[in-house]
Coordinates of all heavy atoms in Angstrom, one line a residue:
M7 N -30.4 22.0 19.3 CA -31.1 20.8 18.6 C -30.4 20.3 17.6 O -30.3 18.9 17.5 CB -32.5 21.5 17.9 CG -33.3 20.5 17.2 SD -34.1 19.5 18.6 CE -35.1 18.5 17.6
L8 N -29.6 20.9 16.7 CA -28.7 20.4 15.8 C -27.6 19.6 16.3 O -27.2 18.6 15.8 CB -28.2 21.5 14.8 CG -27.4 21.0 13.7 CD1 -28.3 20.0 12.7 CD2 -26.8 22.2 12.8
L9 N -27.1 20.0 17.5 CA -25.9 19.3 18.2 C -26.6 18.0 18.7 O -25.8 17.0 18.6 CB -25.3 20.1 19.3 CG -24.6 21.3 18.8 CD1 -24.1 22.1 20.0 CD2 -23.4 20.9 18.1
T10 N -27.7 18.0 19.1 CA -28.3 16.6 19.6 C -28.5 15.7 18.5 O -28.2 14.5 18.5 CB -29.7 16.9 20.2 OG1 -29.5 17.8 21.4 CG2 -30.3 15.7 20.8
L11 N -29.0 16.2 17.3 CA -29.0 15.4 16.1 C -27.6 14.8 15.6 O -27.6 13.6 15.4 CB -29.7 16.2 14.9 CG -30.0 15.4 13.6 CD1 -30.9 14.2 14.0 CD2 -30.4 16.4 12.8
L12 N -26.6 15.6 15.7 CA -25.3 15.3 15.4 C -24.8 14.1 16.4 O -24.1 13.1 15.9 CB -24.5 16.4 15.3 CG -24.6 17.4 14.0 CD1 -23.6 18.6 14.2 CD2 -24.3 16.6 12.8
D13 N -25.1 14.2 17.7 CA -24.8 13.3 18.5 C -25.4 11.9 18.3 O -24.8 10.9 18.5 CB -25.0 13.8 20.0 CG -24.2 14.8 20.5 OD1 -22.9 14.8 19.9 OD2 -24.5 15.4 21.5
I14 N -26.7 12.0 17.9 CA -27.5 10.7 17.6 C -26.8 10.1 16.4 O -26.7 8.9 16.3 CB -28.9 11.1 17.4 CG1 -29.5 11.6 18.7 CG2 -29.7 9.9 16.7 CD1 -30.9 12.1 18.6
V15 N -26.5 10.8 15.3 CA -26.0 10.4 14.2 C -24.6 9.7 14.5 O -24.2 8.5 13.9 CB -25.8 11.5 13.0 CG1 -25.0 10.8 11.8 CG2 -27.2 11.8 12.6
A16 N -23.7 10.4 15.3 CA -22.5 9.9 15.7 C -22.5 8.5 16.5 O -21.8 7.6 16.2 CB -21.7 10.9 16.5
Y17 N -23.7 8.4 17.3 CA -23.9 7.2 18.1 C -24.3 6.2 17.0 O -23.9 4.9 17.2 CB -25.1 7.4 19.1 CG -25.4 6.2 19.7 CD1 -24.5 5.6 20.9 CD2 -26.4 5.5 19.5 CE1 -24.9 4.5 21.6 CE2 -26.9 4.3 20.2 CZ -26.0 3.9 21.2 OH -26.4 2.6 21.8
V18 N -25.1 6.4 16.1 CA -25.5 5.4 15.1 C -24.4 5.0 14.3 O -24.1 3.6 14.0 CB -26.7 5.9 14.2 CG1 -27.0 4.9 13.1 CG2 -27.9 6.2 15.0
L19 N -23.3 5.8 14.0 CA -22.2 5.4 13.3 C -21.3 4.6 14.2 O -20.7 3.5 13.6 CB -21.4 6.6 12.8 CG -22.0 7.5 11.8 CD1 -21.2 8.7 11.5 CD2 -22.2 6.7 10.4
D20 N -21.2 4.7 15.4 CA -20.5 3.9 16.2 C -21.1 2.6 16.4 O -20.4 1.5 16.4 CB -20.4 4.5 17.7 CG -19.4 5.7 17.8 OD1 -18.5 5.8 16.8 OD2 -19.5 6.5 18.7
L21 N -22.4 2.5 16.5 CA -23.2 1.3 16.6 C -22.9 0.5 15.2 O -22.7 -0.8 15.3 CB -24.6 1.5 16.8 CG -25.5 0.3 17.0 CD1 -25.2 -0.5 18.1 CD2 -27.0 0.8 17.0
M22 N -23.0 1.1 14.1 CA -22.7 0.5 12.9 C -21.3 -0.1 12.7 O -21.2 -1.2 12.3 CB -22.8 1.4 11.7 CG -24.3 1.7 11.3 SD -24.6 2.7 9.8 CE -23.6 1.8 8.6
S23 N -20.3 0.6 13.3 CA -18.9 0.0 13.4 C -19.0 -1.2 14.2 O -18.2 -2.3 13.8 CB -17.9 1.1 13.9 OG -17.8 2.1 13.0
T24 N -19.5 -1.1 15.3 CA -19.5 -2.4 16.3 C -20.2 -3.6 15.5 O -19.8 -4.7 15.7 CB -20.2 -2.0 17.5 OG1 -19.4 -0.9 18.2 CG2 -20.2 -3.1 18.5
L25 N -21.4 -3.4 15.0 CA -22.0 -4.4 14.3 C -21.3 -4.9 13.1 O -21.4 -6.0 12.9 CB -23.5 -3.9 13.9 CG -24.4 -3.7 15.0 CD1 -25.8 -3.1 14.4 CD2 -24.7 -4.9 15.7
L26 N -20.5 -4.1 12.4 CA -19.8 -4.6 11.3 C -18.6 -5.4 11.7 O -18.3 -6.4 11.1 CB -19.3 -3.3 10.6 CG -18.5 -3.5 9.2 CD1 -19.6 -4.2 8.2 CD2 -18.1 -2.3 8.6
I27 N -18.0 -5.1 12.9 CA -17.0 -5.9 13.5 C -17.6 -7.3 13.9 O -17.0 -8.4 13.6 CB -16.3 -5.4 14.6 CG1 -15.5 -4.1 14.2 CG2 -15.5 -6.3 15.5 CD1 -14.9 -3.3 15.2
V28 N -18.9 -7.3 14.4 CA -19.5 -8.6 14.7 C -19.8 -9.3 13.4 O -19.5 -10.6 13.4 CB -20.9 -8.3 15.5 CG1 -21.7 -9.5 15.5 CG2 -20.5 -7.7 16.9
Y29 N -20.2 -8.7 12.5 CA -20.5 -9.3 11.1 C -19.2 -9.9 10.6 O -19.3 -11.1 10.0 CB -21.0 -8.3 10.2 CG -21.2 -8.7 8.8 CD1 -22.3 -9.6 8.3 CD2 -20.5 -8.3 7.7 CE1 -22.5 -10.1 7.2 CE2 -20.6 -8.6 6.5 CZ -21.6 -9.5 6.1 OH -21.9 -10.0 4.8
L30 N -18.1 -9.3 10.6 CA -16.8 -9.7 10.1 C -16.4 -11.0 11.0 O -15.9 -12.0 10.4 CB -15.7 -8.6 10.3 CG -14.4 -8.9 9.7 CD1 -14.3 -9.2 8.2 CD2 -13.4 -7.8 10.1
V31 N -16.5 -10.9 12.2 CA -16.0 -12.1 13.1 C -16.9 -13.3 12.8 O -16.4 -14.4 12.8 CB -16.0 -11.6 14.6 CG1 -15.7 -12.8 15.5 CG2 -14.9 -10.7 14.8
L32 N -18.3 -13.0 12.7 CA -19.1 -14.1 12.5 C -18.9 -14.8 11.3 O -18.9 -15.9 11.1 CB -20.6 -13.5 12.8 CG -21.7 -14.7 12.6 CD1 -21.6 -15.7 13.7 CD2 -23.1 -14.0 12.6
G33 N -18.6 -14.0 10.2 CA -18.3 -14.5 8.9 C -17.1 -15.4 8.9 O -16.9 -16.5 8.3
L34 N -16.0 -14.9 9.8 CA -14.9 -15.8 9.8 C -15.1 -17.0 10.6 O -14.6 -18.2 10.3 CB -13.9 -14.9 10.6 CG -13.1 -14.0 9.7 CD1 -12.2 -13.1 10.6 CD2 -12.4 -14.4 8.6
L35 N -15.9 -17.0 11.8 CA -16.4 -18.2 12.4 C -17.1 -19.2 11.6 O -16.9 -20.3 11.6 CB -17.1 -17.9 13.7 CG -16.4 -17.0 14.9 CD1 -17.3 -16.7 15.9 CD2 -15.2 -17.9 15.3
I36 N -18.0 -18.7 10.7 CA -18.8 -19.5 9.8 C -17.9 -20.2 8.8 O -17.9 -21.3 8.6 CB -20.0 -18.8 9.1 CG1 -20.9 -18.4 10.2 CG2 -20.6 -19.5 8.1 CD1 -22.1 -17.4 9.8
S37 N -16.8 -19.4 8.2 CA -16.1 -20.0 7.3 C -15.2 -21.0 7.7 O -14.8 -21.9 7.0 CB -15.3 -18.8 6.4 OG -14.5 -18.2 7.3
F38 N -14.8 -21.0 9.0 CA -13.9 -21.9 9.6 C -14.6 -22.9 10.3 O -14.0 -23.7 11.0 CB -12.9 -21.3 10.5 CG -11.8 -20.5 9.7 CD1 -11.8 -19.0 9.9 CD2 -10.9 -21.0 8.9 CE1 -10.7 -18.3 9.2 CE2 -9.9 -20.3 8.3 CZ -9.9 -18.9 8.4
N39 N -15.9 -23.1 10.2 CA -16.7 -24.0 10.8 C -16.6 -24.0 12.3 O -16.9 -25.1 13.0 CB -16.5 -25.5 10.3 CG -17.0 -25.6 8.7 OD1 -18.0 -25.0 8.5 ND2 -16.3 -26.3 7.9
V40 N -16.5 -23.0 12.9 CA -16.6 -22.9 14.4 C -18.0 -22.9 14.8 O -18.4 -23.4 15.8 CB -15.7 -21.6 14.9 CG1 -15.9 -21.6 16.4 CG2 -14.3 -21.8 14.5
V41 N -18.9 -22.1 14.0 CA -20.3 -22.0 14.2 C -20.9 -22.3 12.9 O -20.2 -22.1 11.8 CB -20.8 -20.6 14.7 CG1 -20.3 -20.5 16.1 CG2 -20.4 -19.6 13.8
N42 N -22.1 -22.8 12.9 CA -22.7 -23.1 11.6 C -24.1 -22.5 11.4 O -24.7 -22.2 12.5 CB -22.6 -24.6 11.2 CG -23.4 -25.4 12.2 OD1 -24.3 -25.0 12.9 ND2 -23.1 -26.7 12.4
L43 N -24.5 -22.5 10.3 CA -25.8 -21.8 10.1 C -27.0 -22.7 10.4 O -28.2 -22.3 10.1 CB -25.9 -21.3 8.6 CG -24.8 -20.2 8.2 CD1 -25.0 -19.8 6.8 CD2 -25.1 -18.9 9.1
H44 N -26.8 -24.0 10.8 CA -27.8 -24.8 11.2 C -28.4 -24.4 12.5 O -29.6 -24.7 12.8 CB -27.4 -26.3 11.3 CG -26.9 -26.9 9.9 ND1 -27.8 -27.0 9.1 CD2 -25.7 -27.2 9.6 CE1 -27.1 -27.5 7.8 NE2 -25.9 -27.7 8.3
N45 N -27.6 -23.6 13.4 CA -28.1 -23.0 14.6 C -29.0 -21.9 14.1 O -28.6 -21.1 13.5 CB -26.9 -22.6 15.4 CG -27.3 -22.0 16.8 OD1 -28.4 -21.5 16.9 ND2 -26.4 -22.1 17.7
Q46 N -30.3 -21.9 14.7 CA -31.2 -20.9 14.2 C -30.8 -19.5 14.7 O -31.1 -18.4 13.9 CB -32.5 -21.2 14.8 CG -33.3 -22.4 14.1 CD -34.7 -22.7 14.7 OE1 -35.0 -22.0 15.7 NE2 -35.3 -23.6 14.1
F47 N -30.3 -19.4 16.0 CA -29.8 -18.0 16.3 C -28.7 -17.5 15.4 O -28.7 -16.2 15.0 CB -29.4 -18.2 17.7 CG -28.9 -16.8 18.3 CD1 -29.8 -15.7 18.6 CD2 -27.5 -16.6 18.6 CE1 -29.3 -14.5 19.1 CE2 -27.0 -15.3 18.9 CZ -28.0 -14.2 19.2
V48 N -27.6 -18.1 15.1 CA -26.6 -17.9 14.3 C -27.1 -17.5 12.9 O -26.8 -16.5 12.4 CB -25.6 -18.9 14.2 CG1 -24.5 -18.6 13.3 CG2 -24.9 -19.2 15.6
A49 N -28.0 -18.2 12.4 CA -28.6 -18.1 11.1 C -29.3 -16.7 11.1 O -29.3 -16.0 10.1 CB -29.4 -19.2 10.6
A50 N -30.1 -16.4 12.1 CA -30.9 -15.3 12.2 C -30.1 -14.1 12.2 O -30.3 -13.0 11.7 CB -31.9 -15.3 13.4
V51 N -29.0 -14.1 13.1 CA -28.0 -13.0 13.3 C -27.3 -12.7 11.9 O -27.2 -11.6 11.5 CB -26.9 -13.2 14.4 CG1 -26.0 -12.2 14.4 CG2 -27.9 -13.2 15.8
W52 N -26.9 -13.9 11.3 CA -26.1 -13.7 9.9 C -27.1 -13.1 8.9 O -26.6 -12.2 8.3 CB -25.7 -15.0 9.6 CG -24.9 -15.0 8.4 CD1 -25.2 -15.5 7.1 CD2 -23.6 -14.4 8.1 NE1 -24.3 -15.2 6.1 CE2 -23.4 -14.7 6.7 CE3 -22.8 -13.7 8.9 CZ2 -22.1 -14.0 6.2 CZ3 -21.4 -13.3 8.4 CH2 -21.3 -13.5 7.0
R53 N -28.4 -13.5 8.9 CA -29.3 -13.0 7.9 C -29.6 -11.4 8.1 O -29.5 -10.6 7.1 CB -30.5 -13.7 7.8 CG -30.5 -15.0 7.0 CD -31.9 -15.5 6.8 NE -32.6 -15.6 8.0 CZ -32.7 -16.7 8.8 NH1 -32.0 -17.7 8.5 NH2 -33.4 -16.7 9.8
G54 N -29.6 -11.1 9.5 CA -30.0 -9.6 9.8 C -28.8 -8.8 9.4 O -28.9 -7.8 8.8
L55 N -27.6 -9.2 9.8 CA -26.5 -8.4 9.5 C -26.1 -8.3 8.1 O -25.7 -7.4 7.6 CB -25.1 -9.0 10.4 CG -25.3 -8.8 11.9 CD1 -24.1 -9.6 12.5 CD2 -25.4 -7.3 12.3
S56 N -26.3 -9.5 7.4 CA -26.1 -9.4 5.9 C -27.0 -8.4 5.2 O -26.7 -7.7 4.3 CB -26.3 -10.8 5.4 OG -25.3 -11.7 5.7
A57 N -28.3 -8.5 5.7 CA -29.3 -7.6 5.0 C -28.9 -6.1 5.4 O -29.1 -5.2 4.5 CB -30.7 -7.9 5.6
L58 N -28.4 -5.9 6.5 CA -27.9 -4.5 6.9 C -26.7 -4.1 6.1 O -26.6 -2.9 5.6 CB -27.7 -4.6 8.4 CG -27.2 -3.2 8.9 CD1 -28.4 -2.1 8.8 CD2 -26.8 -3.3 10.3
F59 N -25.6 -5.0 5.9 CA -24.3 -4.5 5.4 C -24.0 -4.8 4.0 O -23.2 -4.1 3.3 CB -23.3 -5.0 6.3 CG -23.2 -4.5 7.7 CD1 -23.5 -5.2 8.8 CD2 -23.0 -3.0 7.8 CE1 -23.4 -4.5 10.1 CE2 -22.9 -2.4 9.1 CZ -23.1 -3.2 10.1
E60 N -24.6 -5.8 3.4 CA -24.5 -6.3 2.0 C -24.7 -5.1 1.1 O -23.8 -5.0 0.1 CB -25.1 -7.5 1.6 CG -24.5 -8.7 2.1 CD -22.9 -9.0 1.8 OE1 -22.7 -8.5 0.7 OE2 -22.2 -9.3 2.6
P61 N -25.8 -4.3 1.2 CA -26.0 -3.2 0.3 C -24.9 -2.1 0.5 O -24.5 -1.5 -0.6 CB -27.2 -2.6 0.7 CG -27.9 -3.7 1.4 CD -26.9 -4.5 2.0
L62 N -24.2 -2.0 1.6 CA -23.0 -1.1 1.7 C -21.8 -1.6 1.3 O -20.9 -0.9 0.8 CB -23.1 -0.6 3.2 CG -24.2 0.0 3.8 CD1 -24.0 0.2 5.4 CD2 -24.5 1.4 3.1
L63 N -21.6 -2.8 1.5 CA -20.3 -3.4 1.0 C -20.3 -3.8 -0.4 O -19.1 -3.9 -0.9 CB -20.1 -4.8 1.8 CG -19.9 -4.6 3.4 CD1 -19.9 -6.1 4.1 CD2 -18.7 -3.9 3.7
A64 N -21.3 -4.1 -1.2 CA -21.3 -4.4 -2.5 C -20.6 -3.5 -3.3 O -19.7 -3.7 -4.2 CB -22.6 -4.8 -3.0
P65 N -20.8 -2.1 -3.3 CA -20.1 -1.2 -4.1 C -18.6 -1.0 -3.8 O -17.8 -0.9 -4.7 CB -20.7 0.2 -3.8 CG -22.0 -0.1 -3.1 CD -21.9 -1.4 -2.6
I66 N -18.3 -1.3 -2.5 CA -16.9 -1.3 -2.0 C -16.2 -2.5 -2.7 O -15.1 -2.3 -3.1 CB -16.8 -1.3 -0.6 CG1 -17.4 0.1 0.0 CG2 -15.4 -1.4 -0.1 CD1 -17.5 0.1 1.5
R67 N -16.8 -3.7 -2.7 CA -16.3 -4.8 -3.3 C -15.9 -4.6 -4.8 O -15.0 -5.2 -5.3 CB -17.1 -6.1 -3.0 CG -17.1 -6.5 -1.7 CD -17.9 -7.8 -1.4 NE -17.9 -8.2 -0.1 CZ -18.9 -8.5 0.7 NH1 -20.2 -8.3 0.0 NH2 -18.8 -8.8 1.9
R68 N -16.8 -3.8 -5.5 CA -16.5 -3.7 -6.8 C -15.3 -2.7 -7.1 O -14.6 -2.9 -8.1 CB -17.8 -3.0 -7.5 CG -18.8 -3.9 -8.0 CD -19.9 -3.3 -8.6 NE -21.1 -3.2 -7.7 CZ -21.8 -2.2 -7.6 NH1 -21.7 -1.2 -8.1 NH2 -22.8 -2.2 -6.6
I69 N -15.0 -1.9 -6.1 CA -13.9 -1.0 -6.3 C -12.6 -1.8 -5.9 O -11.5 -1.6 -6.5 CB -14.1 0.3 -5.5 CG1 -15.2 1.0 -6.1 CG2 -12.8 1.2 -5.4 CD1 -15.8 2.2 -5.2
L70 N -12.6 -2.4 -4.8 CA -11.4 -3.0 -4.2 C -10.9 -4.1 -5.1 O -11.9 -4.9 -5.7 CB -11.6 -3.5 -2.8 CG -11.7 -2.5 -1.7 CD1 -12.0 -3.1 -0.4 CD2 -10.5 -1.5 -1.6
P71 N -9.5 -4.5 -5.0 CA -9.2 -5.7 -5.8 C -9.7 -6.9 -5.2 O -9.9 -6.9 -3.9 CB -7.7 -5.6 -5.8 CG -7.3 -4.8 -4.7 CD -8.5 -3.8 -4.5
D72 N -9.7 -7.9 -5.9 CA -10.3 -9.3 -5.4 C -9.1 -9.9 -4.6 O -8.2 -10.5 -5.2 CB -10.8 -10.2 -6.5 CG -11.4 -11.4 -6.0 OD1 -11.9 -11.5 -4.8 OD2 -11.5 -12.4 -6.7
T73 N -9.3 -10.0 -3.3 CA -8.3 -10.8 -2.5 C -9.1 -12.0 -1.9 O -9.6 -11.8 -0.8 CB -7.8 -9.9 -1.3 OG1 -8.8 -9.4 -0.6 CG2 -6.8 -8.7 -1.8
R74 N -9.2 -13.0 -2.6 CA -10.1 -14.1 -2.4 C -10.2 -14.7 -1.0 O -11.3 -14.7 -0.4 CB -9.6 -15.2 -3.3 CG -10.8 -16.4 -3.4 CD -12.1 -16.0 -3.8 NE -12.1 -15.5 -5.2 CZ -13.2 -15.2 -5.9 NH1 -14.4 -15.2 -5.3 NH2 -13.2 -14.8 -7.1
P75 N -9.1 -15.0 -0.3 CA -9.4 -15.5 1.1 C -9.7 -14.5 2.1 O -10.4 -14.7 3.0 CB -8.1 -16.2 1.4 CG -7.0 -15.6 0.5 CD -7.8 -15.2 -0.7
L76 N -9.3 -13.3 1.9 CA -9.6 -12.2 2.7 C -10.5 -11.1 2.2 O -10.0 -10.4 1.2 CB -8.3 -11.6 3.3 CG -8.3 -10.5 4.5 CD1 -9.1 -11.1 5.6 CD2 -7.0 -10.0 4.8
D77 N -11.6 -10.8 2.7 CA -12.5 -9.7 2.2 C -12.0 -8.4 3.0 O -12.3 -8.4 4.2 CB -14.0 -10.1 2.4 CG -14.9 -9.1 1.8 OD1 -14.4 -8.3 1.0 OD2 -16.0 -9.1 2.2
L78 N -11.6 -7.5 2.2 CA -11.1 -6.2 2.8 C -12.3 -5.1 2.9 O -12.1 -4.1 3.5 CB -9.9 -5.6 2.0 CG -8.7 -6.5 2.1 CD1 -7.6 -5.9 1.1 CD2 -8.2 -6.8 3.5
S79 N -13.4 -5.4 2.2 CA -14.4 -4.4 2.2 C -15.0 -4.0 3.6 O -15.2 -2.8 3.7 CB -15.6 -4.9 1.3 OG -16.1 -6.1 1.8
P80 N -15.2 -4.9 4.5 CA -15.7 -4.5 5.9 C -14.7 -3.5 6.6 O -15.2 -2.5 7.1 CB -15.8 -5.8 6.6 CG -16.0 -6.8 5.7 CD -15.2 -6.4 4.5
M81 N -13.4 -3.7 6.4 CA -12.4 -2.8 7.0 C -12.5 -1.5 6.3 O -12.3 -0.5 6.9 CB -11.1 -3.5 6.9 CG -10.9 -4.6 7.8 SD -9.2 -5.4 7.6 CE -9.6 -6.6 6.4
A82 N -12.7 -1.5 4.9 CA -12.8 -0.2 4.2 C -14.0 0.5 4.6 O -14.0 1.8 4.8 CB -12.8 -0.4 2.7
L83 N -15.1 -0.3 4.9 CA -16.5 0.5 5.3 C -16.1 1.1 6.7 O -16.7 2.1 7.2 CB -17.6 -0.5 5.4 CG -19.0 0.0 5.7 CD1 -19.3 1.2 4.8 CD2 -19.9 -1.1 5.7
I84 N -15.4 0.4 7.6 CA -15.2 0.9 9.0 C -14.4 2.2 8.8 O -14.6 3.2 9.6 CB -14.4 -0.1 9.8 CG1 -15.4 -1.3 10.3 CG2 -13.7 0.5 11.0 CD1 -14.7 -2.5 11.0
V85 N -13.4 2.3 7.9 CA -12.7 3.4 7.8 C -13.6 4.6 7.3 O -13.5 5.7 7.7 CB -11.5 3.3 6.8 CG1 -10.9 4.6 6.3 CG2 -10.5 2.3 7.3
L86 N -14.4 4.3 6.3 CA -15.3 5.3 5.9 C -16.3 5.9 6.9 O -16.6 7.0 7.1 CB -16.2 4.8 4.7 CG -15.4 4.5 3.4 CD1 -16.2 3.9 2.3 CD2 -14.9 5.9 2.8
I87 N -16.8 4.9 7.8 CA -17.7 5.2 8.9 C -16.9 6.1 9.9 O -17.5 7.2 10.3 CB -18.2 4.0 9.5 CG1 -19.3 3.4 8.7 CG2 -18.8 4.4 11.0 CD1 -19.8 1.9 9.2
N88 N -15.7 5.8 10.2 CA -14.9 6.7 11.1 C -14.6 8.0 10.5 O -14.7 9.0 11.2 CB -13.6 6.0 11.5 CG -13.8 4.9 12.4 OD1 -14.7 4.8 13.2 ND2 -12.8 3.9 12.3
I89 N -14.3 8.1 9.2 CA -14.1 9.4 8.5 C -15.6 10.3 8.6 O -15.4 11.4 9.0 CB -13.9 9.2 7.0 CG1 -12.4 8.6 7.0 CG2 -13.9 10.5 6.2 CD1 -11.8 8.3 5.5
A90 N -16.6 9.6 8.4 CA -17.9 10.2 8.5 C -18.1 10.8 10.0 O -18.6 12.0 10.2 CB -19.1 9.4 8.2
G91 N -17.7 10.0 11.1 CA -17.8 10.4 12.4 C -16.9 11.7 12.6 O -17.2 12.6 13.3
I92 N -15.6 11.7 12.1 CA -14.7 12.8 12.3 C -15.4 14.0 11.5 O -15.3 15.2 12.2 CB -13.4 12.5 11.6 CG1 -12.7 11.3 12.4 CG2 -12.5 13.7 11.5 CD1 -11.5 10.8 11.9
V93 N -15.9 13.9 10.5 CA -16.5 15.0 9.7 C -17.7 15.7 10.6 O -17.8 16.9 10.7 CB -17.0 14.6 8.4 CG1 -17.9 15.8 7.7 CG2 -15.7 14.4 7.4
L94 N -18.5 14.7 11.1 CA -19.6 15.1 11.9 C -19.1 15.9 13.3 O -19.6 16.9 13.5 CB -20.5 14.0 12.3 CG -21.4 13.6 11.3 CD1 -22.1 12.2 11.8 CD2 -22.4 14.7 11.0
S95 N -18.0 15.3 13.9 CA -17.5 16.0 15.1 C -16.9 17.4 14.8 O -17.2 18.3 15.6 CB -16.6 15.2 15.9 OG -15.3 15.1 15.2
H96 N -16.2 17.6 13.6 CA -15.8 18.8 13.4 C -16.9 19.8 13.0 O -16.7 21.0 13.3 CB -14.8 18.7 12.2 CG -13.4 18.2 12.6 ND1 -12.5 18.8 13.4 CD2 -12.9 16.9 12.4 CE1 -11.4 18.1 13.6 NE2 -11.7 16.9 13.0
T97 N -17.9 19.3 12.3 CA -19.1 20.1 12.0 C -19.7 20.6 13.3 O -20.1 21.7 13.4 CB -20.0 19.3 11.1 OG1 -19.4 18.9 10.0 CG2 -21.3 20.1 10.8
A98 N -19.9 19.6 14.3 CA -20.5 20.1 15.5 C -19.7 21.2 16.2 O -20.2 22.1 16.8 CB -20.6 18.9 16.4
R99 N -18.3 21.0 16.2 CA -17.5 22.1 16.8 C -17.6 23.4 16.1 O -17.5 24.4 16.8 CB -16.1 21.6 16.8 CG -15.7 20.7 18.0 CD -14.2 20.5 18.2 NE -14.1 19.1 18.3 CZ -13.1 18.4 17.6 NH1 -12.3 19.0 16.9 NH2 -13.1 17.1 17.8
A100 N -17.8 23.4 14.8 CA -17.9 24.6 14.0 C -19.2 25.3 14.3 O -19.2 26.5 14.3 CB -17.7 24.3 12.5
I101 N -20.1 24.5 14.6 CA -21.4 25.1 14.8 C -21.4 25.8 16.2 O -22.0 26.8 16.3 CB -22.6 24.1 14.8 CG1 -22.7 23.6 13.3 CG2 -23.9 24.6 15.3 CD1 -23.6 22.5 13.2
Q102 N -20.7 25.3 17.2 CA -20.9 25.9 18.5 C -20.3 27.3 18.5 O -19.5 28.0 18.0 CB -20.1 25.0 19.4 CG -20.7 23.8 19.8 CD -20.0 22.9 20.8 OE1 -18.8 23.1 21.0 NE2 -20.6 22.0 21.3

């Protein structure tokens, strides 16, 4: 039962990494005016992803130095998510 729970958490972490990459790419597309927030679908996706990731990215932005044109906090969050996945996989192997 515990291994199944760890697999589900690992899947959610992978999904978060994928959505974070979508958030990063969408932010770049918006900032370079490739897509704009006047499109209702783009605005809805942007608001949803912002609501999901901004609470996680804000503490990282306070720690990292300010690199104005490039926001490094999503990349740092991806690294932290991957570290959490590694810890979970080693925990699952130790349990077996």
Side-chain angles (χ1 to χ4, degrees):
M7 180 71 174
L8 186 60
L9 291 176
T10 304
L11 182 62
L12 288 174
D13 284 342
I14 292 170
V15 172
Y17 178 75
V18 169
L19 290 176
D20 287 341
L21 182 63
M22 281 183 61
S23 291
T24 303
L25 288 175
L26 190 57
I27 291 170
V28 170
Y29 176 71
L30 180 64
V31 170
L32 186 60
L34 288 172
L35 291 174
I36 289 170
S37 66
F38 288 116
N39 287 326
V40 175
V41 295
N42 59 27
L43 294 175
H44 296 295
N45 183 333
Q46 289 182 351
F47 177 74
V48 172
V51 170
W52 180 251
R53 279 193 310 270
L55 292 175
S56 293
L58 180 66
F59 289 117
E60 283 304 319
L62 300 172
L63 293 173
I66 296 172
R67 286 186 182 126
R68 278 185 254 135
I69 295 170
L70 290 178
D72 185 23
T73 55
R74 190 57 70 176
L76 180 63
D77 185 14
L78 299 176
S79 60
M81 290 176 266
L83 184 57
I84 288 173
V85 169
L86 291 174
I87 290 171
N88 286 333
I89 289 172
I92 291 168
V93 168
L94 280 175
S95 74
H96 286 289
T97 302
R99 276 193 232 133
I101 290 174
Q102 287 180 344

